[in-house]
Amino acid sequence: MPRTHLWKPMLIDPRLGDAEDDIASTNSRSLVAIGGRLLAEISLPKLFLAWIMLIGLPAILLGLAPLVILGWATTISAQVATALAGFWSLLILGGLLILAWIGGKPVLRAAEQSFWSLNALAVQPIYALFREGLRHIIGKLGPDLRPRRHTHLYAIAAVGGGILVSALSFWFVTLAWPASRWVGEAGDVLTPHQLIVPALANAVVIVGCYVMGAALVWAIADAALGRPADLMVFSDMPSEARSWRVAHLSDLHAVGEQYGFRIESGRIGPQGNERMRRVFDRLEALHTEHPLDLVLITGDMTDAGRSAEWAEFMDIVAVYPGLAERTLILPGNHDVNVVDRANPARLELPTSPGKRLRQLRTLSAIEALHGDRIFCFDSEAGRLGPTLTERLAPYRDDIEAFADTGGIRQSLRLAQIWDDVFPLILPPKTDDGIGAVLLNSNAEAHFSFTNALGIISVLQAQDLISAMERYPHAGWIVALHHHLVEYPTPAKAFSERVGTALINGSWFVRQLRPFAERLVVFHGHRHTEWIGQCGGVRIVSASSPVMNPVQSGSVSFFVHTLAVGGGELKLAAPERVKVNLPDENGQESAGPPPPVDRAGSPPIASMDPEHRR
């Protein structure tokens, strides 16, 4: 405890913080104010270079692909036409075919990667912006609409967003088409700079043509998905089935200083990590009384992914070895995407080692807690691969050297590790048991202002589905950080609704629908307590026992009971666990910890019963 009685009164008491602690707090400042500071301080040369690396180069690679491929095809067809002219023509034709075979695969692979990179960075966010914008307007204009009418308008907003994006794409295609060129020539090798404009125009046409159709498909699929709704019916646990008790925590936001404040809450929120210690104290007492099977923390273990914050988090967990061996963690946006906790305008280039350091710190913590129990997935073989510990073993020396020096070369060598390890699989112990899948839902963000966006890669979704198909009788906990869908009672601010979204959340829900009876999705991110469903997929959202306001002298979290029975994963009504906190004067509440509330109403995001259907 700090020896406050030895302090001489100071003009500015550092223990109370100051304006600098609120500089990026969304609780203390509007996003407009934060955004204005960003525009004033952002490095324009860095922004331009980042745009070139993230959008410009992928667009050029994508646009060059048809020039190269069709150029090869034209050359080969000409050689075929004159192949009977002699031996040398046949020899040249054979050489061209060999070079096309060797070089064609990398060209196609680079084009494919560039296409999906542009789709994730530029296309899907615009569609999500339009769709959620229309839904937000509907929510504001008609807050008292009856559920059926609101559902119809919700679907219409999705279709409207798709039509707007499709029309915008058509407009871009018509603008870019005159500058496009599709067949390369041998002389282009001597003037490669003249290919930049045609390549960019080709990329606009390719992506635009895809989006014209895809946006309408997305919109119709989203409209058919229906509105999210509160889950009003929970399951009775089968007496013969083995049940799992899962304590669900999220967004603990460990800070690295005794008097440190959190980025989002600033001086309004808690200082230090005392709340987190109390949460684990309560968990330990609960576990002693009624053992837990799993402590699931769905991201944001730290406030900005710094070494001191991870040290604080790991030190707290280490005090409770019985809980540590049951704890699963996964990356949140604050763990990997916050470039500078004090300056949201600071931009980080894609080649910067800072992001790689944050990723590897996160992987190091995951591996230390449960690296020998969770498995990477072998996409090519369609089965479980090595454990995370085994996967990282060949790179240990490189990782340690990179953590020590932070070199760009080492960062590039280690770049693929982060993408390759996810999803992480905790397989069921029996064919009809319960397994867990840990996903990385963080979008590639390179400055703090956009750190909260999320996306699920196609490869992760495919591996998740393959893992579930290998255990057709098992139940699954699908865990990620970002919320899949907007809650029944949406965010008050549009910036909160879009700025923190899982960009392709509706698409991901559609991928999960065929397995809806065998899985439950757990997430955090928005610090909102909710249990609901969308498209038949059950979704559990955790509040933050550290960040959320204190109510009646306590904060709370939930323990969920799950079991497999009749080919389904059963979800029982949750148990609310309260954690006593001292009052403003530091006085502890008298008596034992509050009892677990096993009969409380389920957590819902809508206070209006009509909105729960």
Side-chain angles (χ1 to χ4, degrees):
M1 294 294 292
R3 300 173 63 187
T4 55
H5 61 283
L6 295 179
W7 284 54
K8 180 180 178 180
M10 302 175 65
L11 292 175
I12 300 176
D13 191 337
R15 295 165 299 180
L16 304 179
D18 51 40
E20 191 175 55
D21 293 296
D22 296 333
I23 204 164
S25 169
T26 53
N27 290 356
S28 303
R29 296 169 179 248
S30 69
L31 283 177
V32 173
I34 297 174
R37 185 172 180 271
L38 182 151
L39 292 174
E41 297 188 13
I42 195 168
S43 168
L44 294 180
K46 262 190 168 183
L47 181 63
F48 176 74
L49 186 57
W51 184 90
I52 291 294
M53 297 175 71
L54 292 172
I55 296 179
L57 285 179
I60 290 173
L61 286 173
L62 178 61
L64 284 175
L67 287 168
V68 173
I69 294 170
L70 295 178
W72 275 107
T74 302
T75 304
I76 289 173
S77 63
Q79 290 295 329
V80 170
T82 58
L84 297 178
F87 170 77
W88 290 108
S89 296
L90 289 173
L91 187 62
I92 293 172
L93 175 60
L96 289 172
L97 289 173
I98 292 172
L99 287 174
W101 176 256
I102 296 173
K105 286 185 178 180
V107 170
L108 289 173
R109 189 179 300 115
E112 181 186 16
Q113 291 175 346
S114 300
F115 175 83
W116 289 114
S117 175
L118 291 170
N119 186 54
L121 283 170
V123 176
Q124 286 183 321
I126 293 175
Y127 167 67
L129 178 70
F130 282 18
R131 181 194 66 205
E132 294 303 317
L134 291 174
R135 287 175 173 175
H136 191 73
I137 292 171
I138 289 171
K140 290 294 184 183
L141 295 179
D144 299 322
L145 291 174
R146 295 196 59 81
R148 188 176 297 277
R149 178 65 173 164
H150 204 283
T151 299
H152 289 161
L153 291 176
Y154 196 80
I156 291 171
V159 174
I163 292 173
L164 288 174
V165 171
S166 184
L168 185 64
S169 300
F170 177 76
W171 182 63
F172 275 116
V173 168
T174 57
L175 290 179
W177 181 259
S180 65
R181 181 156 69 89
W182 301 96
V183 180
E185 301 172 354
D188 292 334
V189 177
L190 302 177
T191 56
H193 61 280
Q194 294 183 4
L195 293 176
I196 294 177
V197 172
L200 290 173
N202 290 352
V204 172
V205 172
I206 293 170
V207 175
C209 289
Y210 163 75
V211 172
M212 278 192 288
L216 296 177
V217 173
W218 297 340
I220 294 170
D222 286 350
L225 194 62
R227 287 179 65 216
D230 298 319
L231 189 66
M232 302 307 297
V233 178
F234 293 89
S235 303
D236 296 324
M237 291 295 100
S239 57
E240 72 282 358
R242 195 268 204 222
S243 62
W244 271 38
R245 281 170 47 78
V246 179
H248 184 198
L249 305 176
S250 196
D251 299 86
L252 301 179
H253 290 266
V255 292
E257 306 87 21
Q258 178 182 354
Y259 294 103
F261 291 96
R262 273 82 183 162
I263 297 172
E264 290 182 24
S265 57
R267 287 177 291 174
I268 296 175
Q271 271 182 299
N273 297 309
E274 183 59 26
R275 274 202 198 183
M276 194 190 313
R277 293 186 181 91
R278 289 176 177 270
V279 168
F280 275 87
D281 280 341
R282 187 71 180 95
L283 265 177
E284 177 76 1
L286 183 68
H287 177 58
T288 301
E289 176 188 348
H290 192 176
L292 298 165
D293 295 284
L294 193 64
V295 178
L296 178 63
I297 307 178
T298 48
D300 280 2
M301 285 69 64
T302 65
D303 201 44
R306 300 302 186 261
S307 293
E309 296 170 354
W310 278 114
E312 286 284 326
F313 172 78
M314 296 299 287
D315 281 350
I316 292 173
V317 174
V319 174
Y320 310 93
L323 297 177
E325 65 185 12
R326 291 166 170 79
T327 297
L328 293 180
I329 64 174
L330 55 87
N333 60 296
H334 277 259
D335 301 315
V336 296
N337 275 348
V338 176
V339 178
D340 188 337
R341 59 175 295 119
N343 181 15
R346 182 181 168 191
L347 179 66
E348 192 172 56
L349 294 176
T351 55
S352 169
K355 186 178 188 69
R356 194 79 58 236
L357 276 171
R358 294 191 297 275
Q359 292 173 343
L360 292 176
R361 288 177 196 136
T362 305
L363 274 186
S364 178
I366 295 173
E367 193 273 334
L369 283 171
H370 42 80
D372 57 347
R373 294 188 292 130
I374 56 174
F375 293 80
C376 302
F377 196 81
D378 187 335
S379 302
E380 294 184 0
R383 57 179 175 80
L384 296 183
T387 65
L388 178 60
T389 298
E390 293 168 343
R391 179 71 178 82
L392 296 179
Y395 302 97
R396 284 189 176 274
D397 291 342
D398 289 337
I399 292 173
E400 290 177 1
F402 172 64
D404 186 48
T405 62
I408 293 180
R409 287 185 182 179
Q410 293 166 319
S411 174
L412 295 176
R413 282 202 301 269
L414 298 171
Q416 200 59 34
I417 295 177
W418 178 256
D419 293 327
D420 285 350
V421 299
F422 292 100
L424 292 168
I425 313 290
L426 178 67
K429 294 182 178 179
T430 61
D431 288 342
D432 59 351
I434 297 178
V437 181
L438 309 179
L439 299 170
N440 169 34
S441 61
N442 296 286
E444 286 288 325
H446 299 280
F447 64 105
S448 295
F449 194 70
T450 60
N451 78 85
L453 286 173
I455 191 168
I456 292 291
S457 68
V458 173
L459 183 58
Q460 278 196 91
Q462 291 173 344
D463 288 348
L464 164 63
I465 291 170
S466 297
M468 291 191 294
E469 287 176 341
R470 288 190 66 84
Y471 297 88
H473 304 295
W476 289 93
I477 293 170
V478 177
L480 70 162
H481 182 58
H482 291 76
H483 54 291
L484 279 70
V485 293
E486 190 61 35
Y487 304 114
T489 297
K492 294 180 180 179
F494 178 60
S495 57
E496 181 183 355
R497 181 169 187 148
V498 173
T500 63
L502 186 70
I503 292 168
N504 59 347
S506 297
W507 170 85
F508 188 50
V509 171
R510 296 197 298 272
Q511 307 310 300
L512 298 178
R513 287 186 77 176
F515 308 90
E517 292 184 346
R518 295 202 290 121
L519 64 82
V520 177
V521 178
F522 287 78
H523 72 79
H525 190 44
R526 280 275 289 273
H527 308 175
T528 297
E529 181 184 282
W530 180 60
I531 301 178
Q533 64 83 27
C534 183
V537 176
R538 291 164 293 177
I539 303 171
V540 176
S541 174
S543 61
S544 171
V546 172
M547 300 285 284
N548 282 28
V550 178
Q551 296 184 357
S552 301
S554 67
V555 291
S556 65
F557 59 89
F558 282 97
V559 173
H560 302 273
T561 303
L562 303 99
V564 176
E568 299 180 4
L569 180 60
K570 309 288 187 179
L571 176 65
E575 306 169 15
R576 183 185 295 276
V577 182
K578 294 184 178 180
V579 182
N580 283 336
L581 296 174
D583 59 23
E584 295 180 356
N585 298 319
Q587 298 296 317
E588 302 284 347
S589 58
V596 174
D597 180 5
R598 304 179 190 277
S601 60
I604 55 175
S606 172
M607 301 307 295
D608 180 358
E610 288 190 339
H611 286 205
R612 300 179 196 170
R613 291 193 287 271

